[in-house]
Amino acid sequence: QVHMVESGGGLVQTGGSLRLSCTASGSTFDGLNMGWFRQAPGKEREGVSCITHGGDSTYYADSVKGRFTISRDNAKNTLYLQMNSLKPEDTAMYICAAGLPCPGGLNYGLVRGFGYWGQGTQVTVSS
């Protein structure tokens, strides 16, 4: 079992930056692939980015490539998402996930009901 708590969301203007954190407990963090998903009101949850358990490989959705950077600190059991050049369409609840395939797990339709999920942190980008 893995328990995760996200933080770092908030309200930011277009072009601004935020850094999200996800702190995990309850299992061997460094043995798990980790990822970020997001869900906007009325929309399906979508994969944003993932990182393999050792941190050697990262993957991004096309919509965030070049703007977002995923990283992890296994000594602190923490996952990060640095988000730059934010756009209004980035507005969503950002949710971290553990124990999913990476990058295959970024297709939410394939992993619905699997893995471990946090409660999310809200990101709102104003135009």
Side-chain angles (χ1 to χ4, degrees):
Q1 192 75 9
V2 181
H3 179 65
M4 295 172 292
V5 178
E6 301 93 334
S7 61
L11 174 64
V12 64
Q13 291 185 332
T14 296
S17 298
L18 285 173
R19 189 194 196 203
L20 307 184
S21 298
C22 170
T23 302
S25 62
S27 187
T28 306
F29 181 80
D30 59 5
L32 297 171
N33 295 334
M34 299 293 296
W36 287 99
F37 288 72
R38 66 187 181 186
Q39 188 165 16
K43 293 189 175 181
E44 178 80 329
R45 188 171 296 187
E46 62 173 351
V48 174
S49 180
C50 67
I51 185 168
T52 52
H53 61 87
D56 51 314
S57 296
T58 59
Y59 301 88
Y60 298 91
D62 287 344
S63 58
V64 305
K65 278 181 184 176
R67 300 188 297 121
F68 290 10
T69 302
I70 192 171
S71 61
R72 64 190 295 163
D73 185 337
N74 286 346
K76 295 182 178 180
N77 282 11
T78 302
L79 175 73
Y80 303 100
L81 186 68
Q82 178 67 44
M83 305 187 296
N84 299 328
S85 302
L86 283 161
K87 305 174 181 179
E89 51 263 44
D90 294 318
T91 295
M93 181 72 73
Y94 283 72
I95 304 155
C96 71
L100 298 175
C102 176
L106 289 180
N107 184 336
Y108 179 66
L110 298 179
V111 298
R112 187 196 310 264
F114 295 94
Y116 303 97
W117 299 84
Q119 294 299 305
T121 185
Q122 178 67 38
V123 171
T124 303
V125 185
S126 64
S127 56

